[in-house]
Amino acid sequence: MPRNLDIGLLRTLIQVADSGSMTAAASRLHMTQGAISQRIKRLEDLFGAALLERNQRGAGLTASGQRLLARARQLVALNDEIAATLAAPDGAARPVVRLGVPHDLIGTHLPPLLQEYARRHPQADVTLVAGSSLELRQACDSGRLDLALIEQPATGDGGGERLSLEQPVWVGAHGGTAWTRRPLPVCLVSPTCVFRRPVEEALAGAGIATRPTIDYASMEATSATVQADLAVTAWLASTVPSTLAILGPASGLPALPPFVIALHAAPDGAPAVLAMAGCARDMYAARCKS
């Protein structure tokens, strides 16, 4: 007799694997830890094998769990794709996904995500909201966004589902000298830029005085200011365009702490939202392997 898989149980396994613990998965799924344990037990009974093992960090997957996880992601993604396709009857309004993305990811990380989503789900529309990670987190928490990509420090628990580990770097003009000036001219994308505090703390720890260079910053203004060698900035290494240069240790500027890109989304969102979340997971998983 064929065994019918419960998509809800597979979602639970994915959340435990991505968060690293049943407690964190329970918080994401708005369930009790006991309910999470029961769901995992049902999966284990179904497959006749242990899927999780306790470790110092929380819960890790067994070899059987790892094998199931890869297929579970595929099955859940296919389920969400089918649900999104059939969500609206002919003539009904198209579903709209409100997606928040930090300014610096728009020109680099966002295009392949939107292209893949449009390929998989041409029947859905996307409303893009740009802002700092702090602003987007507030918008997501208040329900003004369906999901958002958030840049947050790698240390501590900033919430969300971690998709990618990223390294902030100092950025300057090719052949420029702005990094040698004191006070150091620094230009960040916005007053609420997520890199502002670590930049200030790193420079203060190195005894380097700073001064701002523009009153109203933006991605375009920051890029133009740095390219003109009027200031340096701090971006994720993966977002630095070829028109600008990464300033290495030889510049004498202090190292910056690592960040992560995290997905913030309600696990019980509409099919079109869950499908966008699946595309984001797949894209960053592919980036990590390349």
Side-chain angles (χ1 to χ4, degrees), residues 74-126:
Q74 295 174 354
L75 187 55
V76 169
L78 180 59
N79 174 87
D80 293 345
E81 184 175 345
I82 294 173
T85 301
L86 301 178
D90 294 340
R94 291 164 60 90
V96 178
V97 177
R98 300 169 298 172
L99 172 65
V101 181
H103 297 287
D104 56 324
L105 300 187
I106 288 179
T108 50
H109 294 207
L110 182 62
L113 173 60
L114 293 183
Q115 290 168 5
E116 180 62 16
Y117 186 72
R119 185 188 70 79
R120 295 187 190 180
H121 309 284
Q123 77 291 338
D125 293 325
V126 179

Side-chain angles (χ1 to χ4, degrees), residues 102-105 108-109 151 166-173 186-190 193-196 199 217-227 231-247 256-259:
H103 297 287
D104 56 324
L105 300 187
T108 50
H109 294 207
E151 297 163 328
E166 304 280 339
Q167 182 57 52
V169 293
W170 293 102
V171 181
V186 178
C187 179
L188 297 177
V189 175
S190 74
C193 177
V194 71
F195 302 130
R196 181 172 296 277
V199 161
S218 66
M219 199 65 191
E220 295 77 12
T222 300
S223 181
T225 301
V226 174
Q227 193 168 352
V232 299
T233 191
W235 288 346
L236 298 181
S238 61
T239 66
V240 179
S242 60
T243 53
L244 297 174
I246 294 177
L247 304 174
L256 297 170
F259 270 64

Side-chain angles (χ1 to χ4, degrees), residues 33-65:
Q33 186 172 341
I36 297 294
S37 298
Q38 290 176 5
R39 287 190 165 203
I40 297 299
K41 180 64 165 56
R42 287 171 60 188
L43 271 179
E44 292 178 330
D45 290 343
L46 180 63
F47 288 100
L51 302 177
L52 292 180
E53 57 185 358
R54 296 284 183 178
N55 55 46
Q56 293 180 344
R57 297 181 178 179
L61 294 181
T62 63
S64 296

